Amino acid sequence: MLGVLMLATSFRRPVGDIGNPLTFPFPVLYETVPKASVHRVVKEPDLLLINEFVAAGRVLERRGAKAISTSCGFLALFQSEIQAQLSVPFAASSLLQVPEAERRHGQVGVLTARRASLTEAHFLGAGCRGLPAAVAGMDMSPAFTSAIVEGTADLDEQAVEQEVAEAAKSLLREHSRLGAIVLECTNLPPYAATVREVSGLLVYDSTTLCLALLKAAS
């Protein structure tokens, strides 16, 4: 069974989001990490949260989780520290798929919730060689940022879908030789079909990560 460590957020999570149990064709166990705010994970990563995630991960293990992921791709920064203290396979972030995607498809583009916060350390934590050249963020996308990052507005799926499409198009305009796109943010998979449509490329996200993780754990 898949377990998911959740940040302490309150925004609505449509189907496709890792936090919506209807996203997966099987039951999912959820455990919220109360002190893990977006600010402490994305904007100012707090090493003190590692123990909080480990404790919650152990709760999921006791509840029967055979593999564990998270609701925020920025936790790639703590991948090795958390995995070392859990007894089941752990995948903090869809960024862990970048090395394999590069081997299969060549240059890979990454679409992230907040480009200003995504550093080389996050990619190194995910097992990448370093910061990819093709990275774009939703920083200048008001509907997405206000709902997901700032938590100051209700989620407008139609508006966010348009913003995601524009971000993907911009990424392709700047990097025309992309072979695949990885969605860092677990709140972007509801719009993965739109990214595939505008790019014509294979899309990796938290859903594909979790399916592969659970398959490997079985």
Side-chain angles (χ1 to χ4, degrees), residues 95 98 107-113 115 118 123 131-139 141 162-184 188 195-196 198-204:
L95 295 179
V98 170
Q107 188 179 28
V108 171
V110 174
L111 187 58
T112 177
R115 179 64 184 88
L118 192 61
F123 286 95
L131 185 67
V135 181
M138 300 295 293
D139 308 51
S141 303
Q162 294 174 350
E163 291 176 345
V164 172
E166 287 305 314
K169 290 176 184 176
S170 176
L171 186 63
L172 287 165
R173 283 194 296 269
E174 295 181 15
H175 306 277
S176 60
R177 297 184 179 182
L178 295 183
I181 293 177
V182 175
L183 306 180
E184 167 275 318
L188 290 176
V195 176
R196 286 193 293 270
V198 301
S199 68
L201 299 176
L202 188 66
V203 175
Y204 294 79

Side-chain angles (χ1 to χ4, degrees), residues 56-102:
R58 288 174 176 166
V59 172
L60 286 174
E61 289 178 335
R62 291 194 294 271
R63 292 175 61 193
K66 302 303 181 185
I68 297 174
S69 190
T70 82
S71 71
C72 184
F74 279 83
L75 288 164
L77 198 61
F78 305 143
Q79 167 67 32
S80 61
E81 290 86 351
I82 297 174
Q83 176 65 93
Q85 300 182 70
L86 297 179
S87 60
V88 302
F90 172 71
S93 171
S94 60
L95 295 179
L96 272 75
Q97 299 171 107
V98 170
E100 179 63 22
E102 289 177 334

